[in-house]
Amino acid sequence: MEIFWHGDCIDIGDKTYKQMKYTARQFHAQYPDDDTCLHKIFMNRFGNLTECPECKKSFEYKRVKHDSKKKRTQKKSYYCVHCGNQIYPLAGTPFQKTTTSLKDWFYVLYMFTTTRNGVSAKEIERQLDVCYKTALRMAHQLKKLMGNRKQNVLSGNIMADEMIPSMKAKNMHSAQRKIARACGFTNKIMVFGIMDVRGELIVESVKYNDWEAMRQILAERVHPDSILITDGAQGYKDLPKYGINFKQHISVNHQIGEYVKDGFTTNPLEGFWSQLRRMIHGTHIKVSHQHLQKYIDECATRYMLRNSEGEMFDIILRQVA
């Protein structure tokens, strides 16, 4: 069945559907088997080539056929019809050397892009009937893929805030406390984020109360000709003393119940913190310090693309290239 995408519509067979959400029916129609998934990756990575890199003739590749005499499975590669040069689309991707079906990988990515609060490894284990180790590896590889995006220097009205997603060391299990201290976090870990008015996010995990690291992120990721909007935390005060200057600094004092000051607010960033907390504590129950940044990147990507759910799958899959 042929499927064509144009604008906010999708053609499946002889019918046209308005593309508001990316449904499971549409996903299975678009990616019915591993060959279709492999061809999608091939076109994402090499579809814009104009000539073969080996013989320099016009770009024309075909799938390597199954060798029925030697009873080999079909190779995940394409060959040039002119010189026989082979291209392996999965090389250097999270799918390289995987023994798990590509359709299963694509389906997990579909689950990641159509949920609000993330997908646990146990849910992947149940859905695909794989072992927990395989499910966890798939989840982490796709989190890396979702976090593989270019971060621009933000400008305009910039909100900055921090949150504490983890518990105190004294409340941890002794084994968990040992791992936390080995990673350099002796008490808590903080998450520091900056957001512009369009909703573009830069979020990083830092050591608890490491204001030096947070100020460095501000200096590197926020354009000096910007208006910085923060709460009344002590670490945001006297920024010029550290060589960090902005056009204006608006401090909204949450302690006295002030959440909007002269039309400026940090509420959108607070909304992202709520979503991150729901993902960590609701879906995953707990997240180790070692892997926290992957979960942050996943949540940030999903938040920034929340108004493009129908296109989110393709946007993230293009990161493979």
Side-chain angles (χ1 to χ4, degrees):
M1 181 179 294
E2 293 185 331
I3 300 176
F4 300 96
W5 299 78
H6 49 93
D8 60 350
C9 296
I10 177 173
D11 292 339
I12 303 179
D14 57 352
K15 296 183 179 180
T16 300
Y17 302 89
K18 190 168 180 62
Q19 177 62 12
M20 300 299 293
K21 301 289 184 180
Y22 192 27
T23 66
R25 184 186 297 273
Q26 292 171 345
F27 168 78
H28 290 297
Q30 190 175 8
Y31 301 105
D33 50 40
D34 283 7
D35 291 341
T36 308
C37 298
L38 181 67
H39 188 67
K40 176 68 174 180
I41 297 174
F42 175 77
M43 294 306 297
N44 277 355
R45 300 192 68 188
F46 306 105
N48 60 346
L49 289 178
T50 57
E51 61 181 27
C52 172
E54 187 68 25
C55 65
K56 306 303 179 182
K57 293 184 179 180
S58 61
F59 179 77
E60 189 177 351
Y61 277 79
K62 291 185 178 181
R63 179 75 185 276
V64 174
K65 294 182 179 180
H66 170 68
D67 191 345
S68 58
K69 294 182 179 179
K70 296 183 179 180
K71 297 182 179 179
R72 292 177 180 174
T73 57
Q74 192 171 13
K75 294 177 67 175
K76 297 181 176 67
S77 64
Y78 290 74
Y79 70 94
C80 174
V81 297
H82 303 294
C83 67
N85 176 56
Q86 292 195 27
I87 286 181
Y88 294 83
L90 304 186
T93 73
F95 318 119
Q96 183 178 4
K97 296 184 178 180
T98 182
T99 57
T100 307
S101 166
L102 273 180
K103 173 69 180 293
D104 288 346
W105 279 96
F106 274 45
Y107 183 65
V108 175
L109 180 58
Y110 167 78
M111 292 167 63
F112 271 50
T113 58
T114 54
T115 183
R116 178 173 294 181
N117 297 323
V119 181
S120 68
K122 291 298 292 183
E123 180 63 20
I124 297 173
E125 179 186 5
R126 288 189 291 267
Q127 292 276 352
L128 301 185
D129 192 21
V130 296
C131 68
Y132 181 77
K133 184 177 179 181
T134 297
L136 186 62
R137 179 183 177 274
M138 293 176 72
H140 280 192
Q141 290 297 321
L142 292 178
K143 290 179 197 300
K144 291 179 183 178
L145 185 63
M146 294 180 74
N148 183 24
R149 60 184 178 87
K150 182 180 179 181
Q151 294 184 345
N152 301 315
V153 175
L154 304 185
S155 60
N157 295 350
I158 307 299
M159 295 162 276
D161 196 20
E162 71 290 334
M163 67 163 285
I164 304 173
S166 57
M167 67 182 77
K168 294 182 179 179
K170 66 180 183 180
N171 295 331
M172 295 180 182
H173 186 275
S174 59
Q176 188 180 2
R177 189 186 307 120
K178 183 178 180 180
I179 295 174
R181 286 175 175 165
C183 295
F185 306 109
T186 55
N187 188 8
K188 296 180 184 178
I189 187 171
M190 295 181 69
V191 181
F192 179 68
I194 53 179
M195 177 192 290
D196 64 12
V197 293
R198 298 172 302 171
E200 185 171 352
L201 273 164
I202 296 176
V203 191
E204 296 186 18
S205 59
V206 297
K207 294 181 182 179
Y208 180 67
N209 272 351
D210 189 354
W211 286 103
E212 182 179 350
M214 289 186 253
R215 284 191 287 263
Q216 183 177 357
I217 295 172
L218 283 174
E220 294 176 353
R221 297 298 185 182
V222 181
H223 195 277
D225 192 22
S226 301
I227 297 177
L228 182 67
I229 310 160
T230 68
D231 57 17
Q234 291 291 328
Y236 298 118
K237 296 182 179 180
D238 301 324
L239 289 177
K241 184 175 69 174
Y242 301 96
I244 305 173
N245 297 285
F246 298 107
K247 181 179 180 180
Q248 190 177 359
H249 180 197
I250 307 294
S251 180
V252 183
N253 194 345
H254 293 172
Q255 292 183 344
I256 62 173
E258 181 182 56
Y259 294 96
V260 180
K261 183 177 181 180
D262 299 329
F264 297 98
T265 182
T266 60
N267 286 350
L269 192 50
E270 296 286 354
F272 171 73
W273 295 145
S274 297
Q275 184 169 327
L276 181 60
R277 286 190 182 96
R278 287 194 298 271
M279 188 187 82
I280 292 176
H281 299 301
T283 302
H284 302 286
I285 311 302
K286 67 175 183 179
V287 174
S288 68
H289 295 158
Q290 180 183 1
H291 299 290
L292 178 60
Q293 188 62 49
K294 299 175 189 174
Y295 291 81
I296 293 171
D297 292 338
E298 175 198 350
C299 189
T301 299
R302 188 181 295 112
Y303 181 86
M304 287 187 291
L305 297 175
R306 65 192 183 279
N307 295 324
S308 304
E309 182 180 313
E311 297 81 25
M312 192 187 307
F313 180 92
D314 282 333
I315 292 173
I316 294 172
L317 193 59
R318 283 198 293 269
Q319 300 299 321
V320 174

